[in-house]
Amino acid sequence: MLEQLLIFTRGGLILWTCRELGNALKGSPIDTLIRSCLLEERSGAASYNYDAPGASYTLKWTFHNELGLVFVAVYQRILHLLYVDDLLALVRREFSEIYDPKRTVYNDFDETFRQLRMEAEARAEELKKSKPMVKPANNVKKQGQAQKVGFDKGSKKEGNLAADGGDDGKGKGRKLENGNSNGNNFEIEEPRMTAVVNGKENTSSNVSAFDVSKLQKKTKSGKKTDTVVNKGSKVDPKKKVTKKNRVWDDAPPETKLDFTDPVDGNGNENIEVVAASQGESMMDMEEIISSDSEGEEEYDEQKDSKPEAKKKGWFSSMFQSIAGKANLEKEDLEPALKALKDRLMTKNVAEEIAEKLCESVAASLEGKKLASFTRVSSTVQAAMEEALVRILTPRRSIDILRDVNAAKEQRKPYVVVFVGVNGVGKSTNLAKVAYWLLQHNVSVMMAACDTFRSGAVEQLRTHARRLQIPIFEKGYEKDPAIVAKEAIQEATRNGSDVVLVDTAGRMQDNEPLMRALSKLIYLNNPDLVLFVGEALVGNDAVDQLSKFNQKLADLSTSSNPRLIDGILLTKFDTIDDKVGAALSMVYISGAPVMFVGCGQSYTDLKKLNVKSIVKTLLK
């Protein structure tokens, strides 16, 4: 049964709801659809599922882009109503005829909707009756024969079946349908190849058989020859002659190049202190964007519109550019969207994300009137630019310095946990964040909770000595959740403002390590969970973030699990214009990019410039 049907404007003004249905929806599915789907450029999807306590809804929608209207239908997910799409199309057509921008009440539409609903339900019933019910009798019979062949070992019938497989051909020489096989039967799905029964070779005119016993002999003999070769190759090796460096007459004496940190007589490393010597962090600097000339955009538009110019005449294209096209259709948008999708993918945007974005832009433009003196390609590009800015702009403001001061007033430390896959630079960028916080007179403590990787504690200890900040460590093979909890308790006693928790790198499919991470987050309830990801990844960004969030939700013992709050992008200085990973990560998780690592020194940490990223993606 249909739960609710709603018509509202893009500005949020509700024009009509079905009073006949009048069901009170559990939760807020409409608000969630607007916030999580329509505003996040996911409107190209077919439907949206919403789970509330005691109910599960499916929402479907359609747009009237010229009038700026949105039509949403809500129904119970378990029902699988077939007439909803048809009903939305009928309501859209009828309501657009009576719509008046000055009018806000449409009580007279109730009777029209009742008739449309009955019409859509009748169509769905007729469609259901018209579908023929096919009984797969022949397939069942074949499956029974195949199962019989699979279980009758060494019988004559089986031998005849294997021998005649090349002549009959219909289903007999194929793989067993039940998926079971004997130890003596090997079936090969190649043309003109049949099975070998009990190791005997079947000979026919067009059949080449496969003898397993010969293969086993060959492998045995191959092993023997290998061992013989290995034995024969045991020759006393000669001493390797190393080439000496050429020494010129006036050259200075050779010195050993050793750039490691010096060590004193007691074995302690004398590490250089860089607490304030490297200057201001790039986080506090304003980035200046040079405005590119519009010649490149015009050239791209001309290049995109060349195929259209060949199809249409000069007069018709000139008339259309002056008068404007009546309504944009999907066929008009496809060439420009395809070119835009290819451009996004060359910038390292995941293919799935690029496709969804183009579908969303197409849904927002379809049916709109093209303005005078504007090309379709420029209209599509402008819509895509707006969509990208909306996606990359954070939905909620996360000001770490403000939140640190708020936590300080409550006399508790602000806890940040760094998570991510192996080798992305969590420890290095943790030190960069610590350096940035030190410049704002915030006392920082590091927590070495990577008790898995060799050298992880020593690496963090080196950063702590160079920055002259305390570090809490318990060595290796300890429970990282307990280490983090003790570190937070120590920071509370010492009065540290921020605790930066370093965790072990883990792949998103490693369930034991993901369970340990979920335990650490649940036990310590950090203020911020930062996902550290490389800017080099393409399609893998979608897999990493979606599975990290999924595992944190599934493995958490809390009813309201903590997910990823923000993203730290590393190695941003190595990608040139391939900035698509930022878009892929933000789109799939909804979390903002809070930091961007762009170098090897402590100052090389900056904010994400949304305008610069969008310009690079569409360039």
Side-chain angles (χ1 to χ4, degrees):
M1 180 182 174
L2 196 67
E3 295 289 326
Q4 187 58 268
L5 198 140
L6 193 71
I7 304 174
F8 57 92
T9 65
R10 286 187 179 271
L13 177 64
I14 298 175
L15 299 175
W16 180 83
T17 56
C18 183
R19 289 181 294 179
E20 182 184 343
L21 298 173
N23 296 324
L25 299 175
K26 296 181 179 179
S28 53
I30 305 292
D31 293 342
T32 308
L33 172 72
I34 295 171
R35 187 171 57 250
S36 302
C37 197
L38 303 185
L39 293 180
E40 290 295 315
E41 294 302 324
R42 302 171 199 269
S43 54
S47 61
Y48 178 77
N49 293 330
Y50 175 80
D51 293 318
S56 296
Y57 298 116
T58 295
L59 291 85
K60 291 193 173 184
W61 61 91
T62 187
F63 301 112
H64 197 298
N65 291 313
E66 189 178 356
L67 301 178
L69 302 177
V70 185
F71 304 82
V72 181
V74 187
Y75 61 94
Q76 293 283 350
R77 192 186 309 170
I78 198 172
L79 295 179
H80 299 288
L81 300 181
L82 300 176
Y83 63 87
V84 174
D85 293 326
D86 193 17
L87 178 62
L88 283 173
L90 292 172
V91 170
R92 177 180 179 272
R93 186 191 67 197
E94 295 295 329
F95 191 83
S96 60
E97 293 179 0
I98 65 169
Y99 174 69
D100 182 6
K102 298 178 181 178
R103 185 178 170 189
T104 57
V105 180
Y106 293 87
N107 294 331
D108 55 339
F109 191 69
D110 294 347
E111 184 61 32
T112 308
F113 172 74
R114 192 178 298 110
Q115 295 175 2
L116 294 176
R117 184 182 173 191
M118 291 171 61
E119 183 182 344
E121 288 177 351
R123 283 186 191 176
E125 288 295 326
E126 289 176 7
L127 188 64
K128 195 185 295 184
K129 290 176 182 177
S130 64
K131 284 186 178 179
M133 298 296 292
V134 180
K135 295 182 179 179
N138 296 330
N139 295 337
V140 173
K141 189 175 180 181
K142 286 181 181 179
Q143 186 176 1
Q145 289 177 356
Q147 288 178 355
K148 187 176 180 182
V149 171
F151 287 107
D152 293 341
K153 293 185 180 179
S155 63
K156 293 181 180 178
K157 291 180 181 178
E158 186 178 355
N160 294 334
L161 178 65
D164 297 335
D167 299 328
D168 281 345
K170 293 186 179 179
K172 291 185 179 179
R174 298 179 183 173
K175 193 175 179 181
L176 301 184
E177 293 181 16
N178 59 356
N180 298 323
S181 62
N182 302 329
N184 300 325
N185 297 338
F186 295 88
E187 296 203 9
I188 301 168
E189 294 181 310
E190 295 274 345
R192 298 187 180 184
M193 295 284 282
T194 57
V196 176
V197 181
N198 296 332
K200 293 182 181 180
E201 195 172 337
N202 299 322
T203 57
S204 61
S205 58
N206 294 327
V207 177
S208 60
F210 180 80
D211 197 343
V212 182
S213 59
K214 288 182 181 180
L215 179 63
Q216 291 174 349
K217 288 178 182 178
K218 283 182 181 179
T219 53
K220 288 179 181 177
S221 62
K223 288 180 182 176
K224 287 181 181 177
T225 54
D226 289 343
T227 53
V228 170
V229 171
N230 291 336
K231 285 180 182 177
S233 63
K234 286 186 178 178
V235 185
D236 294 335
K238 296 180 180 179
K239 292 183 179 179
K240 190 175 181 181
V241 180
T242 57
K243 185 178 178 181
K244 295 183 179 179
N245 294 331
R246 184 188 295 273
V247 180
W248 302 97
D249 294 335
D250 54 349
E254 184 180 354
T255 57
K256 186 177 180 181
L257 299 176
D258 187 4
F259 293 104
T260 57
D261 292 322
V263 181
D264 59 15
N266 299 327
N268 298 322
E269 297 179 0
N270 299 326
I271 299 174
E272 182 186 1
V273 176
V274 292
S277 61
Q278 295 199 6
E280 187 182 4
S281 175
M282 294 174 70
M283 280 288 294
D284 302 319
M285 297 181 185
E286 290 293 332
E287 188 175 355
I288 301 171
I289 310 172
S290 60
S291 58
D292 298 327
S293 62
E294 297 177 357
E296 293 182 6
E297 295 179 4
E298 291 176 1
Y299 174 74
D300 289 340
E301 289 171 6
Q302 289 172 6
K303 195 165 76 172
D304 292 340
S305 63
K306 275 182 183 177
E308 296 179 4
K310 289 180 181 178
K311 293 178 184 177
K312 298 176 182 178
W314 175 83
F315 181 77
S316 61
S317 60
M318 176 63 73
F319 179 77
Q320 183 175 313
S321 65
I322 294 173
K325 189 171 172 60
N327 290 102
L328 285 172
E329 298 176 1
K330 198 169 186 181
E331 292 77 14
D332 303 325
L333 300 170
E334 277 178 0
L337 286 173
K338 187 179 183 303
L340 207 54
K341 178 188 171 184
D342 293 340
R343 193 185 305 174
L344 288 174
M345 288 173 63
T346 58
K347 303 292 184 181
N348 224 10
V349 178
E351 182 182 3
E352 178 188 350
I353 305 301
E355 192 169 345
K356 286 182 178 178
L357 273 171
C358 290
E359 288 174 0
S360 178
V361 169
S364 65
L365 290 177
E366 195 174 346
K368 257 188 177 179
K369 185 177 174 64
L370 187 66
S372 303
F373 298 103
T374 53
R375 294 190 180 94
V376 175
S377 58
S378 58
T379 304
V380 170
Q381 179 145 341
M384 180 63 77
E385 186 174 349
E386 290 177 10
L388 294 178
V389 170
R390 192 157 49 243
I391 291 168
L392 291 171
T393 304
R395 287 181 294 175
R396 57 191 181 91
S397 175
I398 302 178
D399 189 344
I400 293 182
L401 296 175
R402 182 194 62 200
D403 294 343
V404 166
N405 290 327
K408 192 190 296 186
E409 291 176 359
Q410 298 176 6
R411 295 183 180 179
K412 66 174 187 176
Y414 185 82
V415 182
V416 184
V417 175
F418 292 77
V419 303
V421 299
N422 308 78
V424 294
K426 289 183 294 298
S427 303
T428 304
N429 285 275
L430 182 146
K432 292 180 186 178
V433 173
Y435 181 81
W436 171 67
L437 290 170
L438 287 173
Q439 288 191 317
H440 290 272
N441 300 320
V442 176
S443 59
V444 183
M445 187 177 83
M446 293 182 179
C449 296
D450 185 354
T451 61
F452 184 76
R453 175 174 65 90
S454 300
V457 177
E458 288 79 6
Q459 180 187 5
L460 212 62
R461 191 186 300 155
T462 303
H463 285 305
R465 287 181 184 174
R466 296 191 74 187
L467 295 173
Q468 291 187 311
I469 59 177
I471 179 173
F472 186 88
E473 56 174 283
K474 285 287 185 178
Y476 295 98
E477 297 184 359
K478 302 292 191 301
D479 187 353
I482 303 301
V483 176
K485 187 174 184 179
E486 293 178 0
I488 295 170
Q489 293 172 352
E490 180 70 19
T492 306
R493 285 193 295 269
N494 295 340
S496 297
D497 299 331
V498 178
V499 179
L500 302 179
V501 180
D502 186 28
T503 61
R506 66 205 75 214
M507 295 307 292
Q508 60 270 23
D509 297 318
N510 192 329
E511 186 165 331
L513 288 178
M514 289 302 299
R515 192 178 296 277
L517 180 63
S518 179
K519 177 186 174 184
L520 185 148
I521 293 173
Y522 171 70
L523 194 64
N524 296 286
N525 192 22
D527 298 281
L528 188 66
V529 179
L530 273 182
F531 178 84
V532 185
E534 284 182 328
L536 303 167
V537 295
N539 288 324
D540 200 37
V542 178
D543 191 55
Q544 286 178 11
L545 264 168
S546 58
K547 286 189 176 177
F548 253 83
N549 267 334
Q550 188 66 41
K551 292 287 184 184
L552 289 178
D554 293 344
L555 301 176
S556 176
T557 56
S558 172
S559 58
N560 187 19
R562 283 291 302 277
L563 303 179
I564 291 167
D565 300 317
I567 299 167
L568 195 157
L569 269 179
T570 65
K571 307 176 187 177
F572 211 73
D573 54 323
T574 64
I575 57 171
D576 194 24
D577 62 343
K578 304 290 190 294
V579 296
L583 177 64
S584 299
M585 289 184 177
V586 173
Y587 188 90
I588 203 67
S589 67
V593 176
M594 301 183 61
F595 301 101
V596 174
C598 54
Q600 299 181 8
S601 62
Y602 290 125
T603 57
D604 293 330
L605 190 75
K606 62 181 183 180
K607 298 175 184 176
L608 183 76
N609 194 311
V610 174
K611 291 182 180 178
S612 174
I613 295 294
V614 171
K615 185 172 284 188
T616 306
L617 285 170
L618 298 178
K619 188 167 65 175

